[in-house]
Amino acid sequence: MVVLKSVRPAISCSSFGFDGDQLVPLHKVSFVNLTLPASLLSVRLSSRNNAKLSLVQATKESSTASTNDSAAVFSGENLHQIATNGKATNIVWHKSSVGKVHRQEVLQQKGCVIWITGLSGSGKSTLACALCQALYSRGKLAYILDGDNVRHGLNRDLSFKAEDRAENIRRIGEVAKLFADAGIICIASVLSPYRKDRYACRSLLPEGDFIEVFMNVPLQICEVRDPKGLYKLARAGKINGFTGIDDPYEPPLNCELELPQKGNNCASPCEMAEIVISYLEEKGYLQA
Amino acid sequence: MSTVGNSTNIFWQESPVGKLERQKLLHQKSCVVWITGLSGSGKSTLACSLSRELFTRGNLSYVLDGDNLRHGLNQDLGFKADDRTENIRRVGEVAKLFADAGLICIASLISPYRKDRDSCRAMLPDANFIEVFMNMPLTLCEERDPKGLYKLARAGKIKGFTGIDDPYEPPLNCEIEIKQKAGVCPTPGAMAGEVVTYLEEKGYLQHQ
């Protein structure tokens, strides 16, 4: 395997205008210098970060941008664009030189999001803790984004009305994405009752990096457990819009894992955590 | 059970694996390095070089860049005063989560209002908030104009641009101040070096 030793500075090669409503993306490309042995018969290029690679012969250095076929192109993570994005204009994507791949090498794992969804009392937080412990004992770095905990900080300004629930999920999804980018195994433990909102979070991440775990525990069992006394309050009419009582829970149609597994309703949190760990191992997340 | 802000009936969920365990795994003490300054003062440049410098030392960091976050988490916010406040608040909360995860979180954003930066400082316990002020003169930043924004602001095409028609309130008590020496800017490597020296001295880069 050839290890990249140097990256030449990015060269911009596009024009842009500011007067119109649409700002034209300004693409930056980078050159990568590979020294290949003369006896090399073939070269295979691969990248883990969706970068596009083209192998061309070495060309002499030039201070002016060139668009002929002799220019090597290496784009993807190094895109630099000036964009209008929602309400904020004139924002620029800054290239960071230490990337996800580097962090994953250091941590010897791949960042991802394990999204645990289910009714209140279905065991989401319990599984999240067991999973976190199991990962830690294997020397892996994980972090739990618990819905209740996040509502103590980042999402303290949000209520439980439908639109606020959607915003709660959106923000948690965006933060989980950042954690995954940092190389961390991010365990989001959030009721997240609406399918649309969970799907929107899935779309934020590359294919495979969003692992939806459905805690499929019947309402009756959750209500019997009632770990926080909330079902009792909801039945007494003291909480309105409580999921499972007077607000819907939309179960996933295509999740990666469903727990407990069929025929094993008595699985302990540790046993369920091991099922998730096996999945992660199989898919290669527990190595760089 | 408690009510926090608009969130009612919420509980705090404890986990057996805490910040101390994560810091042990990463062989470092976590913190938030908050880089503030005018547009073009070199915040993102320092954030990148600091992140690289820490990486070569085997320390894990993560950069929260103001512009990048406005593409994702903060895409619903503009640049009016209350949106700026909310932008800073959210970045502060996320930086706190990253510090709790054991990382050295490098936040790089203009964050022009003192009150908002001080609120973020208050979010972090045990003085783990390290404010770095990129004290570069407006004239220099405007000359650099790396994104062409000063030009647009002077032409009246952007309103409320920090430094031109919106104030920047410099820190009164920051931990690190980066400025020119005899009219010369320090290199990205030198700036990163200054921050790394501070972190080393305060014991962040060695597991305790």
Side-chain angles (χ1 to χ4, degrees), chain B residues 15-88:
Chain B
S15 165
V17 180
K19 185 175 167 183
L20 288 174
E21 284 77 21
R22 287 185 288 266
Q23 287 182 149
K24 199 168 143 189
L25 192 65
L26 294 172
H27 303 290
Q28 64 189 28
K29 197 173 138 195
S30 61
C31 59
V32 173
V33 178
W34 190 280
I35 309 173
T36 175
L38 293 169
S39 176
S41 56
K43 300 182 296 296
S44 301
T45 304
L46 171 57
C48 283
S49 70
L50 176 59
S51 162
R52 198 167 46 236
E53 210 31 64
L54 289 169
F55 181 76
T56 59
R57 280 169 160 69
N59 290 107
L60 192 68
S61 65
Y62 192 67
V63 176
L64 294 177
D65 187 287
D67 273 1
N68 292 4
L69 283 163
R70 279 179 179 277
H71 276 85
L73 175 67
N74 295 342
Q75 60 184 273
D76 59 323
L77 303 174
F79 285 96
K80 292 181 332 231
D82 42 12
D83 275 2
R84 283 193 201 251
T85 295
E86 176 62 3
N87 182 49
I88 302 309

Side-chain angles (χ1 to χ4, degrees), chain A residues 5-288:
Chain A
K5 290 285 189 199
S6 66
V7 177
R8 294 189 201 169
I11 296 171
S12 63
C13 53
S14 183
S15 62
F16 56 92
F18 285 109
D19 291 330
D21 292 332
Q22 277 301 112
L23 296 174
V24 175
L26 186 83
H27 293 284
K28 281 205 170 180
V29 299
S30 285
F31 288 81
V32 174
N33 193 4
L34 300 173
T35 305
L36 303 174
S39 58
L40 197 66
L41 294 176
S42 69
V43 171
R44 183 173 68 88
L45 294 177
S46 69
S47 164
R48 287 182 211 166
N49 64 350
N50 301 316
K52 289 192 216 120
L53 298 173
S54 308
L55 184 66
V56 297
Q57 273 198 304
T59 183
K60 62 178 193 288
E61 287 209 359
S62 168
S63 59
T64 57
S66 168
T67 56
N68 65 28
D69 286 344
S70 298
V73 175
F74 179 84
S75 65
E77 207 175 351
N78 295 326
L79 280 179
H80 181 115
Q81 70 185 74
I82 297 176
T84 296
N85 191 48
K87 294 174 87 173
T89 52
N90 305 309
I91 48 178
V92 179
W93 185 269
H94 290 278
K95 178 178 74 135
S96 175
S97 53
V98 175
K100 186 176 177 180
V101 172
H102 303 106
R103 289 186 286 266
Q104 290 179 160
E105 275 295 332
V106 165
L107 291 169
Q108 284 297 299
Q109 63 188 53
K110 286 196 185 71
C112 61
V113 174
I114 300 169
W115 191 278
I116 309 174
T117 176
L119 292 169
S120 177
S122 57
K124 301 183 293 298
S125 301
T126 307
L127 173 62
C129 286
L131 183 53
C132 199
Q133 180 74 58
L135 285 165
Y136 178 73
S137 69
R138 283 168 169 77
K140 302 301 170 195
L141 185 66
Y143 192 69
I144 300 175
L145 289 178
D146 187 286
D148 269 10
N149 291 6
V150 180
R151 278 179 176 278
H152 275 81
L154 175 68
N155 293 348
R156 61 188 295 137
D157 59 321
L158 302 174
S159 69
F160 285 94
K161 293 185 323 231
E163 61 267 31
D164 277 2
R165 283 194 201 248
E167 177 63 5
N168 180 51
I169 303 309
R170 186 194 75 83
R171 288 189 201 170
I172 293 176
E174 290 284 2
V175 175
K177 178 184 177 180
L178 293 173
F179 272 91
D181 187 53
I184 297 170
I185 295 167
C186 182
I187 306 163
S189 161
V190 199
L191 221 160
S192 47
Y194 309 132
R195 218 173 268 141
K196 180 167 78 94
D197 298 335
R198 295 192 306 261
Y199 188 76
C201 291
R202 182 185 280 278
S203 316
L204 294 174
L205 283 129
E207 183 78 40
D209 287 0
F210 184 89
I211 299 154
E212 192 172 19
V213 179
F214 173 34
M215 299 303 292
N216 189 7
V217 176
L219 175 64
Q220 303 93 298
I221 296 182
C222 296
E223 199 165 349
V224 159
R225 288 176 182 173
D226 206 3
K228 308 179 216 175
L230 299 175
Y231 283 99
K232 189 173 174 185
L233 291 173
R235 289 287 183 199
K238 291 183 180 171
I239 310 177
N240 290 324
F242 189 72
T243 305
I245 305 296
D246 57 349
D247 205 77
Y249 179 80
E250 299 170 354
L253 300 170
N254 269 316
C255 56
E256 280 68 22
L257 287 169
E258 191 176 310
L259 293 168
Q261 291 183 315
K262 296 219 172 357
N264 192 12
N265 288 335
C266 309
S268 69
C270 288
E271 285 169 333
M272 291 196 284
E274 287 303 318
I275 293 167
V276 182
I277 300 251
S278 297
Y279 179 92
L280 292 173
E281 244 159 5
E282 219 176 286
K283 301 289 180 185
Y285 285 96
L286 302 188
Q287 59 204 46

Side-chain angles (χ1 to χ4, degrees), chain B residues 2-206:
Chain B
S2 64
T3 295
V4 176
N6 285 333
S7 292
T8 50
N9 305 311
I10 52 173
F11 288 74
W12 185 265
Q13 305 287 343
E14 287 292 349
S15 165
V17 180
K19 185 175 167 183
L20 288 174
E21 284 77 21
R22 287 185 288 266
Q23 287 182 149
K24 199 168 143 189
L25 192 65
L26 294 172
H27 303 290
Q28 64 189 28
K29 197 173 138 195
S30 61
C31 59
V32 173
V33 178
W34 190 280
I35 309 173
T36 175
L38 293 169
S39 176
S41 56
K43 300 182 296 296
S44 301
T45 304
L46 171 57
C48 283
S49 70
L50 176 59
S51 162
R52 198 167 46 236
E53 210 31 64
L54 289 169
F55 181 76
T56 59
R57 280 169 160 69
N59 290 107
L60 192 68
S61 65
Y62 192 67
V63 176
L64 294 177
D65 187 287
D67 273 1
N68 292 4
L69 283 163
R70 279 179 179 277
H71 276 85
L73 175 67
N74 295 342
Q75 60 184 273
D76 59 323
L77 303 174
F79 285 96
K80 292 181 332 231
D82 42 12
D83 275 2
R84 283 193 201 251
T85 295
E86 176 62 3
N87 182 49
I88 302 309
R89 184 194 76 83
R90 288 189 201 170
V91 176
E93 291 284 3
V94 175
K96 180 179 177 180
L97 292 173
F98 270 95
D100 191 50
L103 274 72
I104 293 166
C105 183
I106 306 164
S108 158
L109 50 180
I110 297 178
S111 46
Y113 310 136
R114 211 171 276 140
K115 181 165 79 85
D116 298 335
R117 296 190 307 260
D118 289 347
S119 300
C120 290
R121 184 186 280 279
M123 283 178 202
L124 273 129
D126 309 323
N128 291 325
F129 183 88
I130 296 148
E131 194 172 17
V132 180
F133 173 34
M134 301 298 291
N135 189 8
M136 300 296 163
L138 176 63
T139 42
L140 173 69
C141 298
E142 198 166 348
E143 207 181 283
R144 285 173 175 172
D145 206 3
K147 307 178 214 175
L149 299 176
Y150 283 99
K151 187 173 171 183
L152 290 175
R154 290 286 184 199
K157 291 182 178 172
I158 310 176
K159 298 273 181 279
F161 188 72
T162 305
I164 304 296
D165 59 346
D166 204 78
Y168 178 80
E169 300 169 356
L172 301 171
N173 268 316
C174 56
E175 281 70 20
I176 302 171
E177 190 180 331
I178 307 275
K179 48 189 185 183
Q180 293 174 305
K181 288 176 176 64
V184 177
C185 277
T187 61
M191 296 193 295
E194 222 179 300
V195 180
V196 169
T197 301
Y198 180 93
L199 293 174
E200 248 165 3
E201 264 167 33
K202 300 289 178 184
Y204 288 99
L205 304 186
Q206 283 155 165

